[in-house]
Structure formats: structure tokens, C-alpha cells
Amino acid sequence: MSNRSQDILNQPYVIEYYYKAKWGYAEEFSELFKKNHLPVLLKQVESGRFLSVTCTRPRYHTTEDGRWDYRVTIVFKNVLAAHEPPDGEAAIKRALYPDQETFQREERRRFEILLAHWDLPVVDDPIAG
């Protein structure tokens, strides 16, 4: 493997995950996400698969066709970590949420109020240099 290929494999890899909820349900989506999914993601930061997880919301409204309500940015340790199966995720969910019936019901609700979801890998594009 070339040095360039090795360098690429060792660089952090960033994906932004966008969520668009039914109109008027963005806050409920956010609450369910923070309660049931964010802790799972943070456990993957602890494991080293992710370097960081950040969540943002738009300050103002946009047009309906460009609207999104919640963005989660995950910095993976490298491109391989981003594309490997999330080993242990089911075990993390069982450990964090012993009441699996409630957890599953709330996760179904989170997806019921979701209109759209898309994943966008991003790269740095330095303007100088």
C-alpha cells in the first residue's frame, strides 16, 4: 500500500446526518434522539470508533424543500471505521436500555415523525494552501 493510501486510511472521516421531522414535531424528534440514540453514539466515542459526535439545529426556518431540523456530525477515526458494521451496537442498546419494550416503542415513534433522513460524507476543502 502506498504512503498516500496509508495516510488516507489514517485520517478522520466525517459524515453529517440530516433529519427532517414532520412539521411541528422537531422538538419531539430531538428529545427522543437525545434520550435513545445519542447515548449509543457517545458509547462509540468511548470505544474509539468515533472521535466526536456533535448535534446542531438551524437557528431560522428555510424553505420547505431545503428544510432540515437536526444535524448530527460524526467524526470517525478513519474511513474504515465509518464503513464497518457497528459491532456491539446491539449490546450497547441492551446495556443502556434494560426496558427494551419502551426503548423500541420510542425508537419507532422517532421514525414515525421523521419525513426524511440523509447522510452526507464531507471533506475539508482548505481555501489557502
Side-chain angles (χ1 to χ4, degrees), residues 62-117:
T62 64
T63 61
E64 185 60 22
D65 61 330
R67 178 175 71 84
W68 56 272
D69 297 301
Y70 208 63
R71 180 181 68 205
V72 178
T73 303
I74 298 177
V75 179
F76 292 84
K77 71 178 177 181
N78 58 37
V79 67
L80 297 176
H83 292 30
E84 66 190 15
D87 294 336
E89 188 172 296
I92 292 170
K93 290 176 182 177
R94 282 191 304 276
L96 287 172
Y97 307 104
D99 182 354
Q100 283 291 296
E101 186 176 318
T102 299
F103 172 74
Q104 295 297 330
R105 184 179 64 250
E106 290 176 348
E107 283 294 89
R108 277 192 305 275
R109 176 63 183 160
R110 182 166 67 95
F111 285 98
E112 285 171 2
I113 61 177
L114 197 61
L115 286 177
H117 167 79

